[in-house]
Amino acid sequence: MLDDDLDDIHPLFHGAPSSASFKKLRKRIVRYTREAIEQYGMIERDARWLVCLSGGKDSYTLLAVLYELKWRGLLPVDLLACNLDQGQPNFPATVLPAFLEKMGVPHRIEYQDTYSIVKDKVPAGRTYCALCSRLRRGNLYRIAREEGCSAVVLGHHRDDILETFFMNLFHGGRLATMPPKLVNEEKDLFVYRPLAHVAEEDCEKFAKAMNYPIIPCDLCGSQDGLQRQQVKQILDQWEKNSPGRRQVMFRSLMNIRPSHMLDPKIFDFVGLARENLKFDENSDDIPMLR
């Protein structure tokens, strides 16, 4: 089914490499994305999705694979690409509009100078990421409502999710990460991450092979020294020492055993009952487990 000529799918795939390695890569990304969409119940028939496009490798991969799934009849939703230009210095504002026009992708380009707000509010030397993300998310929710979309779709991949888990573990004192599907606080929009099972390395290889016009993510200049980068380096070293370690750790996020953790809110330790008891032969009142 996935051996069709890539050039017949969509302009997003025109000029795709014909090598066996690229076809294998594409199939893997499509399979994992479809798996996540089905596993987490993302499809609402005849819904409209706001697909957020930053210009990075991940969002290009997301857009392309969603269009492939739609072309194959596996994603019965309407797609609207959206880029939020946040006024970052040296942001190439014409790149994404030109790309989307060329590809024939319905889109909306929104300019909101949240960068100036972040610069004003965040103390010198601190990272902009947290406040910048909140402002971006608020604007994307607004745009989704204005465009009649039921979901905001983000390009976070497996490694983003794993890094967030360790960020929360090391610095937040909690076991949590980016869920593949959630409802916003206002309860009127879904947030989807269809690339939840896709490795960052695959996104990078795919976008590079397709020669998509990548926009760097460090235009604001606040990326150096981030805790996330430190976590990423740790995971890189683990992966180097033990190839496949990332995937093993990621699978653990889908294999949680509440009874073997320590949170009484998710497991009733107080109400835990003993069964199959017998009395110690040397005592009249101390029960023991068989």
Side-chain angles (χ1 to χ4, degrees):
M1 177 179 177
L2 293 179
D3 290 329
D4 303 353
D5 185 347
L6 290 175
D7 284 348
D8 290 338
I9 290 177
H10 189 275
L12 283 165
F13 285 90
H14 288 181
S18 59
S19 65
S21 61
F22 179 81
K23 291 182 178 180
K24 183 178 180 180
L25 169 68
R26 177 184 63 88
K27 289 179 182 179
R28 182 166 62 248
I29 293 174
V30 170
R31 183 173 71 252
Y32 285 164
T33 304
R34 182 184 180 187
E35 177 184 271
I37 288 173
E38 293 180 350
Q39 183 172 358
Y40 300 112
M42 297 182 188
I43 294 180
E44 293 179 289
R45 189 167 295 276
D46 300 323
R48 195 177 200 209
W49 289 5
L50 188 76
V51 182
C52 301
L53 195 66
S54 66
K57 64 185 186 306
D58 311 324
S59 61
Y60 279 123
T61 301
L62 172 67
L63 184 68
V65 72
L66 291 181
Y67 264 93
E68 174 157 355
L69 289 170
K70 184 175 175 64
W71 181 86
R72 296 185 182 281
L74 300 173
L75 188 64
V77 302
D78 186 30
L79 302 176
L80 177 67
C82 177
N83 171 250
L84 179 64
D85 180 347
Q86 297 181 258
Q88 293 176 330
N90 303 315
F91 182 79
T94 62
V95 169
L96 283 171
F99 173 81
L100 294 169
E101 288 286 350
K102 180 180 178 181
M103 297 295 146
V105 173
H107 61 277
R108 173 169 169 175
I109 306 296
E110 179 88 3
Y111 178 79
Q112 292 288 332
D113 185 10
T114 62
Y115 177 77
S116 295
I117 298 174
V118 172
K119 284 280 290 183
D120 180 62
K121 299 294 184 183
V122 177
R126 300 287 297 275
T127 178
Y128 305 149
C129 297
L131 179 56
C132 181
S133 177
R134 288 198 297 271
L135 294 173
R136 179 172 62 249
R137 189 67 58 86
N139 276 288
L140 291 173
Y141 288 166
R142 172 183 56 80
I143 295 168
R145 295 183 186 106
E146 292 174 357
E147 295 290 345
C149 296
S150 61
V152 172
V153 185
L154 306 175
H156 296 124
H157 45 64
R158 179 201 70 180
D159 297 75
D160 288 325
I161 291 172
L162 193 57
E163 289 161 15
T164 300
F165 171 80
F166 281 102
M167 286 283 290
N168 282 314
L169 177 67
F170 294 157
H171 304 290
R174 60 183 177 271
L175 296 181
T177 189
M178 299 172 174
K181 176 183 179 180
L182 62 84
V183 177
N184 67 335
E185 291 182 359
E186 293 79 9
K187 309 299 182 185
D188 64 335
L189 293 168
F190 282 116
V191 177
Y192 295 149
R193 295 182 172 94
L195 298 184
H197 295 175
V198 178
E200 179 178 19
E201 182 181 16
D202 282 351
C203 292
E204 185 171 6
K205 289 179 179 178
F206 180 85
K208 183 177 180 180
M210 291 305 305
N211 199 30
Y212 291 144
I214 305 298
I215 297 174
C217 65
D218 59 354
L219 294 175
C220 65
S222 71
Q223 299 295 314
D224 291 342
L226 284 178
Q227 293 173 340
R228 181 173 292 274
Q229 292 302 318
Q230 296 170 358
V231 168
K232 189 178 185 68
Q233 290 172 6
I234 292 172
L235 295 180
D236 285 343
Q237 188 61 47
W238 285 348
E239 185 71 20
K240 180 180 179 181
N241 294 341
S242 183
R245 183 61 52 200
R246 267 191 169 94
Q247 184 61 18
V248 171
M249 290 187 290
F250 181 77
R251 284 204 304 269
S252 72
L253 298 180
M254 297 185 286
N255 187 23
I256 298 170
R257 300 183 181 183
S259 64
H260 287 58
M261 302 299 286
L262 283 78
D263 190 344
K265 295 188 295 297
I266 62 172
F267 186 80
D268 184 12
F269 292 99
V270 174
L272 189 62
R274 293 169 295 176
E275 297 179 357
N276 299 325
L277 300 178
K278 72 175 183 178
F279 286 99
D280 186 347
E281 295 177 355
N282 300 318
S283 172
D284 294 330
D285 58 0
I286 302 178
M288 296 182 61
L289 292 175
R290 286 179 181 171

